[in-house]
Amino acid sequence: MSLQVEKLENNMARLTVEVAAEELENAINNVFLKQKKNISIPGFRKGKVPRQIVEKMYGKEIFYEDAANELIPSAYEKAYDECEEEIVSSPRITIVQLESGKPFIFTAEVALKPEVVLGQYKGVKVDKVEAVVSDEEVDAEIEKEREKSARTVSVTDRAVKDGDQTVIDFEGFQDGVAFEGGKGENYPLTIGSGTFIPGFEDQLIGKNIGETVEVNVTFPEDYQAENLAGKPVVFKVEIKEIKEKQLPQADDEFAAEVSEFDTLDEYKADVKKKLVEKKEKEIKATKENAVIEAIIADAKMDIPEAMIETQQRQLVDDFAQRLRAQGLSVEQYFQFTGLDHGKLMEQVKPQAEQRIKSRLVLEAVVKAENIVADEADFEKEIASMAEAYHMEADKVKEMLGEGSKEQIMEDIAINKAVEFVVDNAKETKPRAKKAPKGENAEA
């Protein structure tokens, strides 16, 4: 195999890969041997047809495409390893020459890692934010716990009110005729949930068990069933059951049930402590993002589109994997959301660009500041992973393989670069907003 590298504009390159004619001939013969058992020609037993006869009947090119597909992955991998440039995208393959008896030639157009010219990356100014938690936030958190501990009880002595959980039978009519899909029995509906057509749930408030209600609503203009979109309809609804949530009192007994504390005051103090810790983490992440964004804004780099597209595909693949873990296919997701692969790719493009820019500027900081990850850093990271996975450190190393060590060391150096630029940032108090003209700022 031979390789030629031609640099193009916008940090792109064209790799021209030449594979010896002998290798192409071997690949063609391998394809023939795999496929011959399925080839049937009159006068020959199935699977016994000579290659020359097949090529004479169907043309020599019959096995070319499969032979090329067999050769390209390994040939490109060798070219990738041999290329001295840093390739940062999937290749766009074009076949140049594919003919028996001649070398197989193809090109691979790839993106090269762009050079980054850093601007200011030390002393970046960011707003100073304090982790302050109000009593109202503590109360809201406790209210969530009360909601979790709520019990549902049946109600028979009053009418429906907002927030109730009801059970209903319903049937919908358009111009006096029942329409398809408009009927339901023993349907659970929480009033105020917005589950049904706007206006439906409100008209059940004040009605009693056993009462039949005529609910008048109009379907939204963008409703999925075109025959009902924008049309007024009437639902006949029977209220069969009313339930309400009863929340426990926020007292010492409640605190003892939901926490390790004996009193409500102790529980509140712990809730506040945890909220402060949560805010501190959020503030730290926000500060990191602000610093990195400022560094990106002051840096110069020419990112090739192919590099962005590769990152987009990676994000989409990761998203598809998370969907599958939840028991949902990408096709089902597209059906539910109205998206398609192209729209999803476009949706993740800003995230892809931001990831690339962040990584590039941080790699540049690593280089500028001679930041390195040593063996102690690596062992510390392995120990952390071992704890997270509940495994022995040696097992984690075995699972990762030797090839992963270099990537882990690079990631550790990147994290050190994040700490460096954040530690060197300057926190300033946010400027007070000016009062509109004609108004007293102290009013």
Side-chain angles (χ1 to χ4, degrees):
M1 187 211 78
S2 66
L3 169 67
Q4 289 182 340
V5 180
E6 177 190 0
K7 286 192 176 182
L8 308 174
E9 293 180 346
N10 301 321
N11 288 311
M12 297 294 292
R14 183 182 295 115
L15 313 185
T16 300
V17 183
E18 183 175 315
V19 180
E22 293 80 5
E23 289 188 53
L24 174 60
E25 180 59 30
N26 289 337
I28 292 172
N29 200 51
N30 287 340
V31 171
F32 165 70
L33 293 174
K34 289 176 184 176
Q35 296 182 4
K36 68 182 238 179
K37 64 176 179 286
N38 299 318
I39 300 173
S40 181
I41 293 179
F44 295 90
R45 283 187 296 160
K46 193 172 183 180
K48 299 297 182 180
V49 186
R51 175 179 151 189
Q52 293 85 348
I53 299 297
V54 178
E55 291 178 336
K56 187 174 182 180
M57 289 193 67
Y58 299 104
K60 285 190 173 184
E61 301 83 7
I62 186 171
F63 301 119
Y64 282 3
E65 185 179 346
D66 289 335
N69 290 336
E70 186 172 294
L71 285 172
I72 287 172
S74 59
Y76 174 74
E77 186 177 350
K78 289 177 184 176
Y80 178 93
D81 292 338
E82 189 177 318
C83 182
E84 295 179 357
E85 304 292 338
E86 189 166 355
I87 297 171
V88 290
S89 76
S90 302
R92 187 171 294 153
I93 303 294
T94 302
I95 293 175
V96 177
Q97 180 173 283
L98 177 54
E99 185 179 343
S100 182
K102 294 183 179 180
F104 170 47
I105 303 173
F106 68 93
T107 62
E109 197 166 304
V110 295
L112 303 180
K113 184 176 178 179
E115 181 184 352
V116 176
V117 179
L118 287 172
Q120 183 182 6
Y121 65 92
K122 289 186 279 191
V124 173
K125 293 180 180 179
V126 291
D127 289 342
K128 183 177 180 65
V129 182
E130 300 288 347
V132 179
V133 174
S134 66
D135 291 341
E136 289 76 16
E137 288 173 293
V138 174
D139 291 341
E141 200 67 22
I142 290 173
E143 193 65 20
K144 289 180 188 176
E145 286 299 323
R146 290 181 68 208
E147 287 280 350
K148 290 179 186 177
S149 302
R151 62 192 186 99
T152 304
V153 296
S154 294
V155 177
T156 57
D157 59 349
R158 64 165 176 80
V160 175
K161 66 179 183 180
D162 193 25
D164 281 346
Q165 298 173 10
T166 64
V167 176
I168 61 173
D169 288 349
F170 62 88
E171 186 170 14
F173 298 86
Q174 183 185 14
D175 296 330
V177 179
F179 57 83
E180 186 178 353
K183 186 175 183 179
E185 294 182 350
N186 296 318
Y187 189 92
L189 175 64
T190 299
I191 307 302
S193 65
T195 306
F196 270 32
I197 304 162
F200 185 101
E201 295 164 24
D202 293 341
Q203 294 179 54
L204 300 184
I205 294 174
K207 308 303 178 184
N208 293 288
I209 293 174
E211 193 171 346
T212 299
V213 187
E214 283 197 356
V215 174
N216 293 276
V217 291
T218 300
F219 278 98
E221 293 289 345
D222 59 352
Y223 190 66
Q224 58 189 5
E226 292 183 6
N227 62 313
L228 294 172
K231 300 292 177 62
V233 295
V234 176
F235 282 93
K236 291 184 179 178
V237 183
E238 181 187 351
I239 298 168
K240 303 182 74 174
E241 194 173 347
I242 303 172
K243 295 179 180 179
E244 68 175 6
K245 283 197 301 184
Q246 290 185 350
L247 276 61
Q249 290 292 322
D251 53 20
D252 292 346
E253 184 179 346
F254 165 72
E257 286 180 1
V258 299
S259 73
E260 59 189 44
F261 302 99
D262 295 326
T263 67
L264 183 61
D265 287 342
E266 289 175 311
Y267 175 49
K268 280 187 174 183
D270 184 64
V271 168
K272 186 169 186 175
K273 177 186 173 186
K274 288 176 179 174
L275 285 174
V276 169
E277 290 172 353
K278 181 182 177 183
K279 278 199 175 184
E280 285 174 343
K281 288 181 180 178
E282 291 171 351
I283 289 169
K284 181 184 177 185
T286 301
K287 183 180 178 181
E288 287 178 1
N289 291 334
V291 171
I292 293 170
E293 284 178 13
I295 296 171
I296 289 171
D298 206 31
K300 294 178 181 178
M301 60 190 111
D302 181 14
I303 302 174
E305 194 65 27
M307 185 180 186
I308 298 171
E309 288 175 8
T310 299
Q311 183 66 59
Q312 285 173 267
R313 284 194 292 273
Q314 182 62 57
L315 288 171
V316 169
D317 289 345
D318 290 346
F319 178 65
Q321 191 172 347
R322 291 196 299 274
L323 284 178
R324 286 192 293 271
Q326 297 169 18
L328 193 67
S329 70
V330 179
E331 290 72 23
Q332 288 172 316
Y333 175 78
F334 288 158
Q335 185 179 354
F336 295 153
T337 61
L339 293 174
D340 56 30
H341 186 268
K343 289 178 182 176
L344 185 57
M345 284 281 285
E346 195 59 32
Q347 197 176 77
V348 302
K349 188 173 183 178
Q351 184 184 355
E353 290 187 75
Q354 185 65 21
R355 276 196 180 189
I356 291 168
K357 290 176 180 178
S358 297
R359 183 80 183 193
L360 288 174
V361 296
L362 290 170
E363 285 176 352
V365 171
V366 167
K367 185 177 179 180
E369 294 296 325
N370 295 316
I371 296 172
V372 294
D374 56 26
E375 198 64 29
D377 294 322
F378 176 72
E379 292 297 333
K380 184 178 178 181
E381 182 65 19
I382 291 296
S384 178
M385 294 171 70
E387 184 178 354
Y389 294 138
H390 305 290
M391 295 172 63
E392 296 293 330
D394 289 342
K395 290 291 182 182
V396 172
K397 289 180 183 178
E398 186 180 326
M399 178 183 72
L400 292 171
E402 188 60 33
S404 300
K405 182 174 181 178
E406 184 179 348
Q407 183 61 56
I408 291 172
M409 297 287 269
E410 286 179 8
D411 291 342
I412 292 170
I414 290 293
N415 290 334
K416 285 187 173 186
V418 173
E419 291 176 6
F420 176 85
V421 294
V422 171
D423 288 345
N424 281 275
K426 293 180 179 178
E427 289 187 317
T428 58
K429 290 184 178 181
R431 291 183 181 180
K433 291 182 180 180
K434 291 183 179 179
K437 288 183 178 180
E439 294 184 16
N440 187 334
E442 296 180 358

